[in-house]
Structure formats: structure tokens, C-alpha cells
């Protein structure tokens, strides 16, 4: 049942209460007007749909980057693991260094502070390991490792960049403001169009429209941070961890 209530929060209650109060006031003071709300509806729906679409695109881009991150770390590990000249102890050391890179990265995604210097230090530890074992590691394998580590670093930087820069804040603020304004425009028009209907129908339609708009906004908000493991569509970070030992 949790998934059916994931898009409901305090803002949902605020909008529904606002719809009910405005409807009650309009009935109390016999206030209504005839206004075409189509353009106003587009002014709310279009930016909502746009931000939701962009949030999903951003999420898909992050998933691709995380896949590159994990596959590149695995490729680095197998370059060492398949080297018969390296001892098992050295392979365990390398796996530990790669796991530290993974842990550092995912701590940042879960809300930790990002330090590019710390990331470079961890990557340099692997570079140093390669340089210290050039007798056991051929030039070709060393070049492969460096290339894969470059992909790891690039995927980390790109993912952190996407995390820090989401969909436009001003556009989301605009959407929320118009959602709260919408009942003031829509309810009097609804009463004018359904003046002969049961008031319960007007109350219901006002609440349904308000619920739809704020639910779309909440969907976008949940998609804005796909790392917090709160929303239903959040990225399952544990699937992208490096776990070799």
C-alpha cells in the first residue's frame, strides 16, 4: 500500500484544504464567474510535464553513468585478477582500494560532501600500485587499467555534476505557486458551469483537480533526488557497488 501513498504529503493536504475552503466561500457568497481556464491549465500542466520528463531523463543518464562506473571498476579488477604474476595478497589489496573508491562515491551520492581531491587520491593509489608493480604488469595491461580508471573518474564527475544541478529551481517554484493559485481561478468557474448540479459534485471535482496537480508536482519532487532511497523510482545504489574481494 505504501506505493499508493508515496505521492501524498503535507502539500497535498494544503491544496485539498484550499480547494475545499475556496469552494465553501464561493457558495457562501454566491461568487462565480465565466472564464476559460484552458490557457491557465496549460500554464500549469506544461511546465509540470516538462520538469517530470527532464527528471526522468536525468535519472536515466545517471543510471548509464553508474553502469559505466561499476563496469570500469570490474574491468580494472579483472586486469589484476587475471594476472598470474601478482600474488593473491596484492590482488586483495587492489580489490580493497577499488572498494574504497566505490564507498567514497556512494557516500557522496547519499548526501555526503564531495571532494574531488579525495577521489583523485584514491585513484592515484591504484596508479601508484600499477607503477610499483611494473615488473608483473605489462605495458598493454597498464594502459588498459589507466583507461578504465579514466572512465571511472569521468563517470564520478559527471554523476556528481548531475546530482548537484537538477531541473530548474525557478521553474519548479513557478509550478508550485500556480498550483496554489489554480483553485482561486478554477473553482468559481466550476461553480458557474455546474450551478445546477449537486454542490457535492463541485467539491469533488475541485479536490480531484487539485489532487492531480499537486500529485504531479510531488512525482517530480521525488524524482529530483533519485539517491535518497525514499521515492519509489529511486536508483537502487546497492546494485552498482563494487563488491569484489
Amino acid at each position: 500500500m505504501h506505493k499508493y501513498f508515496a505521492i501524498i504529503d503535507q502539500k497535498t493536504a494544503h491544496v485539498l484544504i484550499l480547494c475545499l475552503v475556496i469552494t465553501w466561500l464561493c457558495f457562501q457568497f454566491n461568487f462565480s464567474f465565466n472564464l476559460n481556464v484552458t490557457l491557465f491549465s496549460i500554464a500549469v500542466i506544461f511546465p509540470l510535464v516538462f520538469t517530470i520528463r527532464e527528471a526522468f531523463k536525468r535519472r536515466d543518464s545517471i543510471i548509464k553513468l553508474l553502469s559505466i562506473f561499476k563496469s570500469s571498476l570490474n574491468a580494472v579488477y579483472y586486469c589484476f585478477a587475471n594476472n598470474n604474476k601478482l600474488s593473491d595478497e596484492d590482488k586483495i589489496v587492489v580489490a580493497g582500494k577499488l572498494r574504497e573508491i566505490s564507498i567514497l562515491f556512494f557516500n557522496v551520492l547519499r548526501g555526503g560532501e564531495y571532494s574531488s581531491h579525495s577521489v583523485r587520491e584514491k585513484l592515484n593509489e591504484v596508479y601508484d600500485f600499477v607503477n610499483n608493480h611494473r615488473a608483473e604488469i605489462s605495458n598493454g595491461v597498464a594502459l588498459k587499467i589507466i583507461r578504465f580508471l579514466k572512465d571511472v573518474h569521468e563517470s564520478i564527475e559527471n554523476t556528481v555534476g548531475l546530482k548537484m544541478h537538477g531541473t530548474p529551481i525557478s521553474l519548479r517554484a513557478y509550478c508550485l505557486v500556480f498550483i496554489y493559485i489554480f483553485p482561486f481561478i478554477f473553482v468559481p468557474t466550476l461553480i458557474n458551469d455546474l450551478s445546477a448540479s449537486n454542490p457535492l459534485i463541485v467539491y469533488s471535482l475541485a479536490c480531484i483537480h487539485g489532487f492531480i496537480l499537486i500529485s504531479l508536482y510531488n512525482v517530480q519532487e521525488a524524482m529530483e533526488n533519485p539517491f535518497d532511497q525514499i521515492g519509489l523510482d529511486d536508483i537502487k545504489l546497492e546494485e552498482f557497488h563494487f563488491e569484489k574481494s
Side-chain angles (χ1 to χ4, degrees), residues 165-232:
H165 302 91
T167 53
I169 297 175
S170 57
L171 186 58
R172 285 185 282 132
Y174 160 88
C175 290
L176 188 59
V177 168
F178 267 76
I179 288 172
Y180 282 113
I181 293 176
F182 188 75
F184 291 94
I185 306 299
F186 178 72
V187 171
T189 305
L190 187 64
I191 292 175
N192 180 78
D193 294 339
L194 301 176
S195 56
S197 301
N198 189 322
L200 184 60
I201 296 177
V202 179
Y203 278 102
S204 299
L205 288 176
C207 289
I208 289 172
H209 280 78
F211 179 79
I212 290 172
L213 291 177
I214 196 62
S215 295
L216 287 173
Y217 179 84
N218 287 340
V219 167
Q220 195 280 328
E221 281 286 285
M223 289 297 304
E224 191 62 25
N225 184 2
F227 307 110
D228 57 11
Q229 308 302 298
I230 296 176
L232 296 175

Side-chain angles (χ1 to χ4, degrees), residues 76-77 80-81 86 88-101 126 129-130 133 137 242:
V76 172
Y77 172 76
F80 290 107
L86 287 173
D88 291 339
E89 291 76 10
D90 286 336
K91 295 175 183 178
I92 292 174
V93 170
V94 170
K97 293 182 183 299
L98 297 178
R99 190 161 54 248
E100 288 175 2
I101 295 172
V126 183
F129 183 90
V130 173
H133 292 78
I137 301 173
F242 176 82

Side-chain angles (χ1 to χ4, degrees), residues 29-235:
F29 296 98
N30 195 26
F31 178 74
S32 65
F33 49 72
N34 185 14
L35 178 68
N36 188 346
V37 297
T38 302
L39 183 61
F40 192 84
S41 300
I42 293 174
V44 179
I45 295 296
F46 176 76
L48 274 175
V49 173
F50 172 80
T51 53
I52 291 173
R53 183 180 60 192
E54 290 304 308
F56 269 99
K57 284 183 179 179
R58 180 166 159 266
R59 175 179 177 270
D60 289 342
S61 298
I62 290 172
I63 290 175
K64 291 176 183 177
L65 289 170
L66 290 177
S67 299
I68 293 172
F69 171 81
K70 181 177 181 180
S71 61
S72 298
L73 278 184
N74 283 333
V76 172
Y77 172 76
Y78 289 126
C79 285
F80 290 107
N82 294 329
N83 190 331
N84 295 327
K85 295 180 180 180
L86 287 173
S87 66
D88 291 339
E89 291 76 10
D90 286 336
K91 295 175 183 178
I92 292 174
V93 170
V94 170
K97 293 182 183 299
L98 297 178
R99 190 161 54 248
E100 288 175 2
I101 295 172
S102 180
I103 292 172
L104 175 64
F105 179 40
F106 285 101
N107 284 341
V108 171
L109 295 184
R110 290 192 173 95
E113 184 178 353
Y114 176 65
S115 170
S116 58
H117 176 71
S118 298
V119 172
R120 285 195 299 269
E121 278 190 341
K122 292 297 181 183
L123 291 171
N124 285 336
E125 289 180 7
V126 183
Y127 285 125
D128 292 340
F129 183 90
V130 173
N131 289 329
N132 293 333
H133 292 78
R134 291 309 301 269
E136 296 89 357
I137 301 173
S138 65
N139 289 334
V141 173
L143 288 175
K144 287 182 180 180
I145 293 171
I146 292 172
R147 188 188 70 210
F148 289 133
L149 287 176
K150 174 182 173 295
D151 292 338
V152 169
H153 195 187
E154 189 174 322
S155 62
I156 291 175
E157 293 291 339
N158 287 334
T159 304
V160 172
L162 286 173
K163 179 181 186 296
M164 294 173 63
H165 302 91
T167 53
I169 297 175
S170 57
L171 186 58
R172 285 185 282 132
Y174 160 88
C175 290
L176 188 59
V177 168
F178 267 76
I179 288 172
Y180 282 113
I181 293 176
F182 188 75
F184 291 94
I185 306 299
F186 178 72
V187 171
T189 305
L190 187 64
I191 292 175
N192 180 78
D193 294 339
L194 301 176
S195 56
S197 301
N198 189 322
L200 184 60
I201 296 177
V202 179
Y203 278 102
S204 299
L205 288 176
C207 289
I208 289 172
H209 280 78
F211 179 79
I212 290 172
L213 291 177
I214 196 62
S215 295
L216 287 173
Y217 179 84
N218 287 340
V219 167
Q220 195 280 328
E221 281 286 285
M223 289 297 304
E224 191 62 25
N225 184 2
F227 307 110
D228 57 11
Q229 308 302 298
I230 296 176
L232 296 175
D233 296 306
D234 281 351
I235 297 172

